[in-house]
Amino acid sequence: QDSIRDVHIKGIMYRAIEADIEKYICYAEQTRAVLAKLADHGKKMFLITNSPSSFVDKGMKFIVGKDWRDLFDVVIVQADKPNFFNDKRRPFRKVNERGVLLWDKIHKLQKGQIYKQGNLYEFLKLTGWRGSKVLYFGDHIYSDLADLTLKHGWRTGAIIPELRSEIKIMNTEKYIQTMTWLQTLTGLLEHMQVHRDPDSQMILEEWKKERKEMREMNRNFFNAQFGSLFRTDENPTYFLRRLSRFADIYMASLSCLLNYEPDYTFYPRRTPLQHELPGWSDQLCTGTFRIPFLQETVQIK
């Protein structure tokens, strides 16, 4: 943690990436398309980042295009999140084209300008953007999303790049077959354990051994050391529980929104509780085992 903070404060990471930007950053044609689509439909967009202005400008020119500032109504750099969301004392300062910090008092956040530091309370006062009409995207649960959800009532979206590879795995035929048989085997064990004769007990022990092996195989589909980022066997990971607490929606990339219209509403899905699920014996009788088709965008609240 100290090392990561050190390379940020000293600017080592920024200089390394700027020196060879194509090695570290991908040109995001679809991200550009999403931003342009939102701007064309009159959506107000803002960028709040902890990175310095020179790094943001060079990176955004590479990712989005030279006119990237035309897409955003407000751009704030070196915001020092999460302090930005809680500290009322730091004022906004304008950064000129040469990167020099100006000390004039800011009465309005103007499009095309870059501002440094500031705080959310002043941001809300100057823009009037508040409440559930604001959707803020971030890639860190605590630095980006937690305070906005708990204190300010904004809608929040989490960007989780690992989601793309996990969904790809979950849509493979091998994974679907393994999960279907694992669930079936679990149901058989639960349903047939009442048989106490030696032959039945021997079969049950074989099934338990097979189930244990399949659970291990299922974890190894994702990562041999710790399995899926989102699930530990039948239970959600701590990461997913925190994600569900602080994000209204999560996705692998902002480009996942490209196929949705700007006025599209993501309605929350009902998550069955344990006592609402049908019994294994009922599913065994009716043959209703199903794994739904998975998509890149996931609704969680």
Side-chain angles (χ1 to χ4, degrees):
Q1 186 177 5
D2 290 340
S3 298
I4 292 172
R5 184 172 58 248
D6 196 45
V7 298
H8 277 79
I9 293 174
K10 293 182 178 179
I12 298 170
M13 184 195 73
Y14 302 123
R15 291 193 295 272
I17 293 176
E18 285 184 46
D20 193 1
I21 198 166
E22 293 185 15
K23 179 180 179 181
Y24 298 102
I25 299 178
C26 298
Y27 171 67
E29 182 178 355
Q30 290 182 317
T31 299
R32 161 77 193 202
V34 171
L35 295 174
K37 184 177 181 179
L38 292 172
D40 290 343
H41 283 78
K43 301 296 182 181
K44 300 291 185 181
M45 291 188 290
F46 58 90
L47 177 66
I48 304 175
T49 174
N50 288 350
S51 300
S53 58
S54 61
F55 180 76
V56 173
D57 186 57
K58 190 166 185 178
M60 291 296 283
K61 282 179 178 176
F62 183 79
I63 296 171
V64 179
K66 293 182 179 180
D67 61 341
W68 70 272
R69 283 161 64 176
D70 295 337
L71 299 172
F72 291 92
D73 295 272
V74 178
V75 177
I76 301 166
V77 300
Q78 292 180 271
D80 191 27
K81 297 178 292 183
N83 292 330
F84 179 87
F85 302 127
N86 302 298
D87 190 347
K88 298 181 180 181
R89 295 170 296 178
R90 299 182 314 155
F92 285 109
R93 296 297 180 217
K94 187 185 292 186
V95 181
N96 68 15
E97 295 298 329
R98 299 190 302 276
V100 177
L101 191 64
L102 306 180
W103 290 90
D104 299 333
K105 182 174 176 61
I106 303 300
H107 298 282
K108 183 180 181 181
L109 298 175
Q110 298 175 322
K111 187 171 184 175
Q113 301 295 326
I114 294 180
Y115 299 92
K116 180 181 177 180
Q117 295 182 345
N119 63 82
L120 184 64
Y121 299 92
E122 189 71 12
F123 178 85
L124 298 176
K125 179 181 176 182
L126 294 174
T127 63
W129 302 338
R130 57 182 71 242
S132 60
K133 291 186 177 181
V134 181
L135 174 59
Y136 180 83
F137 285 94
D139 61 0
H140 195 288
I141 294 175
Y142 297 106
S143 294
D144 283 319
L145 308 179
D147 290 325
L148 291 172
T149 296
L150 296 176
K151 299 179 181 179
H152 301 289
W154 284 11
R155 298 294 189 185
T156 52
I159 303 298
I160 314 294
E162 295 86 353
L163 187 64
R164 191 182 303 278
S165 60
E166 293 220 2
I167 288 178
K168 185 176 181 181
I169 291 168
M170 294 169 74
N171 278 311
T172 61
E173 190 66 28
K174 186 176 181 181
Y175 179 85
I176 293 173
Q177 290 176 353
T178 301
M179 280 302 301
T180 302
W181 176 236
L182 179 59
Q183 292 180 43
T184 303
L185 194 57
T186 301
L188 287 168
L189 279 165
E190 191 172 38
H191 187 65
M192 303 299 289
Q193 63 184 317
V194 295
H195 298 283
R196 298 296 181 181
D197 60 277
D199 290 341
S200 296
Q201 287 298 308
M202 184 174 65
I203 293 173
L204 287 168
E205 288 302 316
E206 291 176 359
W207 284 351
K208 288 178 183 178
K209 182 180 178 181
E210 184 178 0
R211 181 175 180 268
K212 183 178 179 181
E213 292 172 352
M214 293 191 70
R215 280 158 62 99
E216 187 67 30
M217 184 190 305
N218 183 47
R219 282 193 291 268
N220 291 339
F221 274 123
F222 302 100
N223 184 289
Q225 279 70 46
F226 54 80
S228 169
L229 183 66
F230 302 97
R231 181 181 292 278
T232 302
D233 295 324
E234 284 76 33
N235 300 312
T237 60
Y238 179 78
F239 171 78
L240 182 60
R241 294 202 303 272
R242 295 294 84 194
L243 182 65
S244 302
R245 176 72 178 88
F246 299 127
D248 293 291
I249 193 171
Y250 64 94
M251 60 194 68
S253 167
L254 198 64
S255 62
C256 296
L257 295 175
L258 189 58
N259 293 325
Y260 296 94
E261 292 302 317
D263 59 350
Y264 186 89
T265 300
F266 291 95
Y267 289 97
R269 304 286 179 85
R270 182 181 177 89
T271 303
L273 304 175
Q274 287 298 313
H275 66 278
E276 296 175 326
L277 293 169
W280 276 107
S281 57
D282 297 336
Q283 295 192 51
L284 286 168
C285 294
T286 59
T288 56
F289 294 112
R290 292 180 298 172
I291 294 182
F293 181 77
L294 299 160
Q295 299 179 358
E296 287 189 351
T297 305
V298 183
Q299 180 78 22
I300 63 173
K301 269 191 181 177

